[in-house]
């Protein structure tokens, strides 16, 4: 008997009708393969460049409702987690599915804290970068290089090995990030300090100079922790899709995280926060905002930090970041760029161009302004995104590996090139216009 949870399709080429199940609001692409014109026909394939309407997995990690502006990790609203948790607590939640009790949290923090050191050869490897290397490029390459230090990471089907690499990666990302920064500005590297919490220790490795003990400003350390929570996961975004795709070949997690970080570095993804600051610099003053908006509307440039593939309502993370900015500015003084950003947002949110396209500020619009006030250079902004997102990448990688439906990721294509061409020896070939 046909239930209502089905889709009936008539293939007008053959007049045949097919009924396929609908599960969780989704039809299976492979159910369309049976729709063929004859023996020779391969069957129908779904075409979806940029995956705008294709689910690639089942996931119980992050829930996102872009129409309503809702974001939850393992069912907990992002607002509650940002207000009441530490980043490492949220990391535990994302990886294990439950918030830790006190003993579990203490053990978890201890473990991560004791994986913050780098092997000396990794430190020396980092010394080899050019003096002005971009910190994000150094981060990616150094994470990939960890693959040479931990050959045991190849055992991706071994849960104990996976957990060990996960702890190593979460522990070492801030160390590599901080060393990338110190290298870039020509300061000696600072080793981790196990007395400090995750973000305080990161700040120590970034900014300690000659003082024997680094004391982080607690307001700034907490703001950074909140920003880390907000960036920890965001379901199947470009870099997470890369993590899953590279991981699906059973490459080790250091290589998969390096690949995911490479995807994150692009200006349309995590690189947008750096671009926002460049944009605010270019605009210069509030008065120049309308002219800039006009250039965006004329299609010459994009308003960086605006728009999102899935949020068609205000990005809930941007709201929390705006609040956090107020706390940071009480310590650092107001970043004058905020006025330009607020004016950009005010004008854009009234303008039919942005309203009709549902373009709202995303997570990157305000994060850079905070990062700059805290003391980060813009070329560190995407690195600051990569540190917490490593947790999301690893949680998704783990979920992918234990999902019996997953296989090596390998999309189809529609071939548009020529076929069966006659080979011409080099001496007989004419000039080709390129
Ligand atoms: N400024 C101006 N116009 C924009 C912007 C923007 N920031 N974003 C989208 N649009 C326009 C597009 O030109 C398009 O207009 P059209 O229908 O007239 O052609 C329409 O809005 C729809 O945009 P798409 O490009 O189809 O949206 P898509 O989902 O592919 O892109 C993206 C999403 C890449 C985030 C885009 O909005 C963008 O480039 N934003 C700026 C970069 C940015 O801030 N990236 C960070 C995203 S958050 C993150 O990764 C952490």
């Amino acid at each position: 008997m046909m239930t209502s949870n089905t889709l009936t399709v008539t293939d007008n080429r053959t007049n045949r009708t097919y009924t396929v199940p609908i599960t969780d609001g989704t039809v299976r692409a492979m159910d369309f393969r049976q729709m063929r014109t004859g023996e020779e026909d391969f069957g129908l394939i779904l075409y979806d460049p940029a995956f705008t309407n294709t689910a690639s997995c089942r996931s119980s990690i992050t829930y996102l409702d872009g129409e309503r502006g809702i974001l939850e990790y393992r069912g907990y609203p992002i607002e509650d987690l940002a207000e009441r948790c530490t980043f490492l607590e949220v990391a535990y939640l994302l990886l294990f599915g439950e918030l830790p009790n006190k003993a579990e949290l203490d053990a978890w923090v201890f473990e991560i804290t004791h994986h913050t050191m780098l092997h000396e050869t990794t430190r020396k490897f980092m010394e080899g970068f050019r003096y002005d290397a971009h910190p994000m490029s150094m981060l990616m390459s150094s994470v990939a290089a960890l693959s040479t230090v931990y050959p045991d990471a190849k055992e991706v089907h071994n849960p104990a090995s996976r957990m060990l690499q996960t702890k190593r990666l979460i522990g070492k990302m801030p160390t590599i990030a901080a060393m990338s920064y110190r290298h870039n500005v020509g300061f000696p590297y600072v080793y981790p300090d196990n007395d400090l919490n995750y973000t305080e220790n990161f700040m120590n490795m970034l900014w300690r100079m000659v003082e024997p003990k680094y004391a982080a400003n607690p307001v700034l350390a907490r703001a950074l922790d909140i920003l880390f929570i907000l960036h920890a996961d965001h379901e199947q975004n470009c870099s997470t899709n890369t993590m899953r795709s590279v991981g699906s070949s059973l490459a080790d997690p250091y290589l998969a995280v390096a690949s995911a970080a490479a995807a994150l570095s692009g200006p349309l993804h995590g690189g947008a926060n750096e671009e926002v600051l460049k944009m605010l610099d270019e605009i210069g003053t509030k008065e120049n905002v309308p002219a800039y908006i006009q250039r965006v509307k004329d299609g010459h440039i994009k308003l960086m930090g605006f728009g999102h593939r899935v949020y068609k309502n205000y990005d809930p993370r941007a709201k929390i970041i705006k609040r956090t900015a107020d706390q940071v500015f009480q310590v650092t003084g107001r970043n004058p760029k905020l006025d330009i950003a607020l004016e950009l947002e005010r004008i854009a949110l009234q303008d039919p161009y942005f309203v009709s396209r549902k373009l709202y500020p995303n997570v990157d619009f305000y994060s850079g302004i905070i990062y700059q006030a805290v003391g980060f250079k813009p070329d560190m902004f995407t690195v600051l995104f990569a540190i917490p997102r490593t947790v999301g990448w690893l949680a998704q990688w783990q979920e992918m590996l234990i999902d019996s439906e997953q296989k090596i990721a390998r999309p189809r294509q529609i071939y548009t090139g020529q076929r069966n061409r006659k080979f011409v020896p080099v001496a007989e070939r004419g000039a080709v216009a390129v």
Side-chain angles (χ1 to χ4, degrees):
M1 199 187 81
M2 197 181 297
T3 69
S4 55
N5 276 340
T6 56
L7 173 73
T8 298
V9 186
T10 302
D11 185 341
N12 293 320
R13 300 171 303 175
T14 56
N15 269 331
R16 283 191 62 189
T17 295
Y18 304 84
T19 296
V20 299
I22 300 176
T23 312
D24 300 324
T26 311
V27 289
R28 282 185 178 260
M30 278 306 281
D31 284 344
F32 286 75
R33 187 71 74 71
Q34 57 179 314
M35 300 171 196
R36 304 193 297 168
T37 50
E39 284 298 307
E40 294 293 297
D41 186 3
F42 186 72
L44 267 188
I45 293 178
L46 306 185
Y47 179 55
D48 187 9
F51 307 125
T52 52
N53 196 36
T54 295
S56 63
C57 61
R58 293 177 165 274
S59 182
S60 61
I61 300 172
T62 290
Y63 175 79
L64 206 163
D65 182 337
E67 298 298 324
R68 294 182 186 78
I70 296 172
L71 174 62
E72 294 170 2
Y73 294 162
R74 300 284 189 183
Y76 292 100
I78 190 70
E79 291 80 4
D80 288 349
L81 297 173
E83 196 180 318
R84 303 171 65 176
C85 285
T86 62
F87 168 66
L88 285 187
E89 211 175 340
V90 169
Y92 186 101
L93 171 70
L94 284 167
L95 286 158
F96 300 103
E98 296 296 336
L99 283 166
N101 65 26
K102 177 80 173 70
E104 287 163 339
L105 180 60
D106 289 348
W108 174 244
V109 171
F110 181 90
E111 289 272 2
I112 301 297
T113 307
H114 287 81
H115 280 294
T116 50
M117 282 285 284
L118 295 183
H119 195 282
E120 263 315 270
T121 54
T122 306
R123 190 187 62 76
K124 288 196 186 122
F125 169 86
M126 294 191 69
E127 275 174 3
F129 284 114
R130 206 181 137 98
Y131 67 94
D132 60 351
H134 194 289
M136 192 61 188
S137 304
M138 283 191 264
L139 179 93
M140 276 181 263
S141 318
S142 307
V143 173
L146 290 182
S147 169
T148 65
V149 183
Y150 303 112
D152 55 322
K154 290 187 175 33
E155 294 169 40
V156 296
H157 286 311
N158 173 352
S161 169
R162 280 203 302 267
M163 189 39 60
L164 179 58
Q165 316 315 329
T166 295
K167 288 172 187 165
R168 283 176 173 155
L169 271 159
I170 298 171
K172 289 178 206 319
M173 281 306 264
T175 315
I176 295 175
M179 287 187 179
S180 302
Y181 166 73
R182 302 282 293 201
H183 184 88
N184 182 276
V185 290
F187 292 152
Y189 302 158
V190 175
Y191 286 80
D193 179 344
N194 284 1
D195 290 344
L196 303 174
N197 73 26
Y198 194 76
T199 33
E200 287 170 346
N201 177 44
F202 179 44
M203 291 165 81
N204 159 65
M205 292 186 288
L206 285 162
W207 294 314
R208 191 176 133 217
M209 295 307 278
V210 292
E211 65 273 37
K213 187 90 184 162
Y214 180 81
N217 180 299
V219 176
L220 302 186
R222 177 62 191 148
L224 208 50
D225 215 46
I226 291 174
L227 283 157
F228 280 1
I229 292 171
L230 299 181
H231 286 88
D233 194 50
H234 211 232
E235 51 121 296
Q236 305 313 313
N237 55 84
C238 178
S239 55
T240 302
N241 182 53
T242 304
M243 180 80 193
R244 281 180 173 261
S245 185
V246 174
S248 78
S249 76
L250 308 186
D252 81 46
Y254 300 103
L255 299 175
V257 166
S259 312
L264 185 74
S265 72
L268 295 187
H269 190 13
N273 50 17
E274 187 177 342
E275 297 300 318
V276 170
L277 250 281
K278 283 189 205 154
M279 174 184 79
L280 296 177
D281 278 341
E282 191 189 332
I283 296 173
T285 64
K286 256 170 79 171
E287 292 65 44
N288 296 335
V289 167
Y292 197 86
I293 295 264
Q294 194 53 50
R295 283 174 64 204
V296 174
K297 287 164 59 177
D298 292 344
H300 298 309
I301 40 175
K302 272 190 168 173
L303 190 53
M304 298 313 284
F306 256 68
H308 201 279
R309 171 60 60 78
V310 287
Y311 287 124
K312 302 301 170 196
N313 191 327
Y314 213 99
D315 182 338
R317 301 168 300 173
K319 267 189 206 156
I320 303 170
I321 290 185
K322 231 171 143 181
R323 269 205 307 274
T324 311
D326 293 335
Q327 292 153 14
V328 167
F329 295 152
Q330 280 175 15
V331 176
T332 61
R334 196 177 156 87
N335 186 339
K337 300 221 171 69
L338 182 66
D339 295 325
I340 305 172
L342 286 169
E343 183 69 358
L344 264 178
E345 181 184 330
R346 190 185 68 78
I347 297 186
L349 293 186
Q350 298 174 352
D351 193 297
Y353 176 93
F354 296 89
V355 175
S356 64
R357 290 172 176 77
K358 299 188 173 172
L359 300 173
Y360 292 89
N362 60 47
V363 69
D364 292 320
F365 193 65
Y366 287 105
S367 62
I369 299 174
I370 305 188
Y371 292 146
Q372 194 174 51
V374 171
F376 290 103
K377 297 191 315 150
D379 59 9
M380 276 297 285
F381 293 177
T382 314
V383 169
L384 295 170
F385 194 154
I387 295 170
R389 183 56 59 87
T390 297
V391 169
W393 292 332
L394 289 165
Q396 302 265 354
W397 168 70
Q398 156 95 6
E399 188 176 61
M400 182 269 301
L401 284 171
I402 59 178
D403 181 344
S404 59
E405 277 200 303
Q406 291 293 341
K407 298 176 179 213
I408 187 165
R410 206 304 187 182
R412 295 261 166 201
Q413 65 166 10
I414 303 171
Y415 179 67
T416 59
Q418 304 181 46
R419 295 283 321 280
N420 291 325
R421 301 177 76 186
K422 188 172 172 305
F423 183 79
V424 182
V426 66
E428 295 167 27
R429 289 174 210 158
V432 183
V434 279

